[in-house]
Amino acid sequence: MKNRKSFCREAGRFRLLRCIKREEQMAYNTRVYRVAALLRVRQKEIKEFIGSEYLGCKVDFYNVGSLQELKRVFLDIRDSYDGILTNGVFSDRFIACNNTDNAVAHRYISATEKNYFRRILLLTMEYPGLDLSRVRLDLMTTEHDLPRMIQEDILRKKMNEEHAEVYRLNEAGVISFEQNMASRQIRAMQSGEYDVFLTRSAVVMDQKEKLELKTKVIHVDYDEDEIYSAMKSLRQEIEKRDLQKSQVACIRFQLPEDSQPEQLQKLDHCIQELVHSQRKLSMMVQLIPDENGIEAITDAGTLDMITNERTYCEFWNYLNKEKKIPVGLGFGIGNTVKEAIDHAAQAVDFLKMEGKNRKVVYLFDSDGEIFTMSTMEREERDTRNIPVVQPAIMTATVNRIAGSAHLSSRNVFRLMTALQQAHCSEATAEWLCQELELSPRMSNKMLSNLEKAGYASISGKTQGIGKGRPCNIYRFDFQ
């Protein structure tokens, strides 16, 4: 009876997903894009699930056995497709290493935190007396144990750290990382210290068949939700690139209000020099000077090229460091020239909100997303272990949090960007005072309101400056 119920439940879920698929397919019937699925594992299941066409994408499948084969196939076919789908972060990073001009969109399917917890839950149901300290996950080291990871809720953090580390590697580094990871996992399996080992690695699953192991090895696999999410994200990225060909972008170079006319002339000369030194830009940028700065009008695709896909602002370093011109930059994207100019002006206004020069640049796009771009060189970001891609902050999210917590959108946005720039999710009232230049009373009010609204929780205590009592550490979750 139990198996029958389970079967009916799974069958019902499958039918529901198929219905969703048909509805979404109807919504994307205006244009068909070509996608190549370069899969190292689960090709048959994914092909059966997606089919030959999904979400307005015609999908061709290629079975690749190794990263080297993945590279060879990708270089052979990339000019024929609008997007590339792979499985696993190693495959996606390998594609990125060989897609240096970012000519084709790419996304990957991968297991998530949810998939781990589902496997752990099924294990505890199957083996009620299972000791979780004898269960090991592939991303754990000898310093971790599973019960503590669950209690401290650090699984997602470890997955994000692993992702950031992989995306700092070159081709050789990716291969070495994957090999070392597989060797480390197999040694742990052979040690006899664990009853169960959970892994995402297809390499490990292939090798474990050749070994005589007492440890039960379980593959942490993704399900239909992850496949759908990856395909939907890929389609959206392809559409965005298509749309950018017709969208307008504006770069606002803003001088201080007390600047001299000579500085504007110097700025104009430097921008002209910078634009015309890059052949790709010389025919794509129109410069419009005014009394307080210069606006450069271009298209969204060129803007993405200039900012390395909205992650790094080279112009800021060139003007502020090399040419010693104290200029603030704001980027805007819109469906019209006026909208792009307005968004760039908003980005500059957000810079004025900052009490300190954080050396960041904001970009407002046509969807209401705010991107925070670094002005640090790539080498400096790598040295400080700062990820290249910064997540966008949605204005709708800022307004929702501000409304729920009875705070100003300005302060909520400043807090979110300060946390993003510090690459942390925890802070104290003292930290808020220092980073946001708020009074102690206002800092405590912000934290109290965010806690009541469910966006912050106390995660520990730390000793503040002086001999006072320890202060609370707050963990933020703005999802």
Side-chain angles (χ1 to χ4, degrees), residues 80-116:
S80 303
Y81 290 92
D82 300 297
I84 303 293
L85 181 71
T86 58
N87 40 14
V89 66
F90 296 123
S91 295
D92 190 64
R93 178 56 186 157
F94 226 67
I95 292 291
C97 288
N98 291 280
N99 189 33
T100 51
D101 55 356
N102 201 32
V104 61
H106 56 97
R107 290 292 185 271
Y108 69 99
I109 313 165
S110 182
T112 64
E113 181 186 28
K114 178 194 73 176
N115 303 116
Y116 275 106

Side-chain angles (χ1 to χ4, degrees), residues 275-285:
V275 169
H276 290 289
S277 68
Q278 301 185 45
R279 194 173 179 181
K280 289 182 180 180
L281 304 182
S282 59
M283 299 300 291
M284 299 181 185
V285 178

Side-chain angles (χ1 to χ4, degrees), residues 115-256:
N115 303 116
Y116 275 106
F117 283 125
R118 181 173 180 271
R119 286 293 181 185
I120 294 168
L121 180 60
L122 290 173
L123 275 172
T124 57
M125 292 169 65
E126 187 177 355
Y127 306 103
L130 180 66
D131 181 2
L132 289 181
S133 64
R134 290 186 61 80
V135 177
R136 176 158 172 175
L137 312 185
D138 52 2
L139 44 66
M140 287 168 54
T141 66
T142 53
E143 300 173 357
H144 303 108
D145 66 84
L146 184 56
R148 186 169 69 86
M149 288 189 75
I150 294 173
Q151 288 169 2
E152 297 180 4
D153 193 22
I154 59 174
L155 179 55
R156 183 186 300 179
K157 179 183 177 183
K158 296 299 295 181
M159 294 181 77
N160 290 340
E161 287 174 353
E162 180 187 70
H163 182 276
E165 185 174 359
V166 170
Y167 267 81
R168 286 194 292 270
L169 301 174
N170 57 20
E171 281 187 52
V174 174
I175 294 173
S176 175
F177 191 99
E178 184 180 51
Q179 291 173 343
N180 292 337
M181 179 198 69
S183 299
R184 185 176 68 249
Q185 291 182 34
I186 289 172
R187 285 197 300 270
M189 294 174 193
Q190 293 173 325
S191 68
E193 296 178 18
Y194 305 98
D195 298 323
V196 183
F197 196 101
L198 277 64
T199 180
R200 295 159 294 167
S201 172
V203 175
V204 171
M205 292 302 293
D206 288 341
Q207 293 186 22
K208 71 102 176 174
E209 301 296 337
K210 306 170 187 176
L211 305 170
E212 294 183 5
L213 298 171
K214 293 182 180 180
T215 302
K216 182 180 180 67
V217 182
I218 297 175
H219 192 205
V220 181
D221 216 344
Y222 39 81
D223 55 27
E224 295 94 334
D225 295 338
E226 280 70 47
I227 299 172
Y228 274 118
S229 296
M231 275 299 296
K232 188 178 289 187
S233 176
L234 180 59
R235 166 76 197 207
Q236 289 170 343
E237 174 62 21
I238 296 170
E239 280 189 325
K240 186 187 83 171
R241 288 167 180 248
D242 228 16
L243 185 62
Q244 283 172 351
K245 295 173 184 176
S246 60
Q247 282 192 319
V248 183
C250 174
I251 310 170
R252 174 70 192 174
F253 300 88
Q254 183 75 28
L255 288 167

Side-chain angles (χ1 to χ4, degrees), residues 3 61 126 153 159 268 303 447:
N3 290 338
F61 292 85
E126 187 177 355
D153 193 22
M159 294 181 77
D268 182 52
L303 183 61
L447 292 170

